[in-house]
Amino acid sequence: NAGVTQTPKFQVLKTGQSMTLQCAQDMNHEYMSWYRQDPGMGLRLIHYSVGAGITDQGEVPNGYNVSRSTTEDFPLRLLSAAPSQTSVYFCASRSPGGSGANVLTFGAGSRLTVL
Amino acid sequence: LAKTTQPISMDSYEGQEVNITCSHNNIATNDYITWYQQFPSQGPRFIIQGYKTKVTNEVASLFIPADRKSSTLSLPRVSLSDTAVYYCLVVAYTSGTYKYIFGTGTRLKVLA
């Protein structure tokens, strides 16, 4: 049971380039989400999905796109990278309802630098 | 949605009990309180959750007063390996979905 897997762990981009951060989970979780973590800012929600084919915006969605074609995968796309998107990105998933709905399982993170 | 406020940092010595308090004045009736721990270069890890009164597990205790406007994470007899950032998180169920509102976290440093 691998949990939540993120790739790549590190990436350097030039301004204007595009890329996709991958996130996969093997726990059959319906809910998945992307956060970015910046110094002094805690974690801020970018986008989330409550199931295949359903996505919604979080606090800081601008500059990012997501799609959810399968339960397992939730990729995050940067269409035209900007230096302000330099950050550490975390993917998280969550068990179905009940007390398990309060527990997020996080990946190890992807550190992105935009030059 | 309830925002959380925590101290930015705390220092403690090995063997001491550490209490980290989080303020969440706008918490709603159905919201839960959870705490996460994050080590450098890792994702946050769930520690404990609660709704009211006191909850204890093998790692920590969580105290929530009757008005639920704050909560306190208690770590008994900390060790050097407890040095981490601790996040208080309000889980809100609104508009048919759960929302997870992270604060800025408390950086705990345990000294020998």
Side-chain angles (χ1 to χ4, degrees):
Chain A
N1 189 342
V4 177
T5 302
Q6 292 183 232
T7 56
K9 292 190 183 304
F10 302 95
Q11 183 71 49
V12 178
L13 290 178
K14 294 181 179 179
T15 297
Q17 287 184 319
S18 63
M19 79 155 300
T20 300
L21 298 177
Q22 302 290 347
C23 177
Q25 52 88 13
D26 60 0
M27 298 172 284
N28 201 32
H29 287 173
E30 293 291 337
Y31 179 96
M32 296 184 73
S33 56
W34 278 101
Y35 289 85
R36 61 177 289 173
Q37 185 172 40
D38 304 295
M41 300 291 290
L43 286 95
R44 292 181 293 170
L45 181 64
I46 304 172
H47 285 286
Y48 66 96
S49 169
V50 297
I54 306 170
T55 64
D56 205 348
Q57 297 181 348
E59 303 171 73
V60 288
N62 293 339
Y64 306 96
N65 280 355
V66 292
S67 60
R68 184 93 178 271
S69 57
T70 67
T71 298
E72 294 78 20
D73 301 298
F74 190 42
L76 179 71
R77 297 183 183 87
L78 286 72
L79 297 180
S80 179
S84 61
Q85 294 178 303
T86 293
S87 187
V88 181
Y89 292 85
F90 288 99
C91 179
S93 70
R94 184 208 76 201
S95 325
S99 61
N102 300 326
V103 181
L104 294 172
T105 301
F106 283 84
S110 297
R111 182 175 294 274
L112 175 67
T113 301
V114 183
L115 303 175
Chain B
L1 298 176
K3 293 288 187 181
T4 60
T5 303
Q6 307 173 230
I8 294 174
S9 64
M10 296 178 69
D11 288 346
S12 181
Y13 289 95
E14 279 192 294
Q16 289 188 331
E17 178 184 74
V18 171
N19 296 309
I20 305 174
T21 297
C22 176
S23 170
H24 27 79
N25 290 323
N26 296 330
I27 193 166
T29 303
N30 295 329
D31 294 351
Y32 268 76
I33 298 149
T34 60
W35 285 78
Y36 286 74
Q37 176 190 56
Q38 185 179 26
F39 297 114
S41 302
Q42 295 186 24
R45 181 178 72 100
F46 171 81
I47 301 176
I48 196 167
Q49 65 173 326
Y51 183 78
K52 61 181 178 181
T53 65
K54 177 183 175 182
V55 178
T56 298
N57 62 20
E58 65 278 5
V59 176
S61 294
L62 178 60
F63 300 90
I64 304 170
D67 66 6
R68 302 196 337 118
K69 292 183 183 295
S70 66
S71 59
T72 299
L73 175 72
S74 181
L75 304 172
R77 299 184 60 79
V78 294
S79 65
L80 295 175
S81 62
D82 292 316
T83 293
V85 179
Y86 292 83
Y87 289 96
C88 168
L89 178 65
V90 171
V91 182
Y93 187 74
T94 180
S95 303
T97 189
Y98 290 91
K99 295 188 185 297
Y100 304 87
I101 307 145
F102 278 89
T104 53
T106 297
R107 188 174 299 275
L108 173 66
K109 185 174 183 180
V110 179
L111 306 169

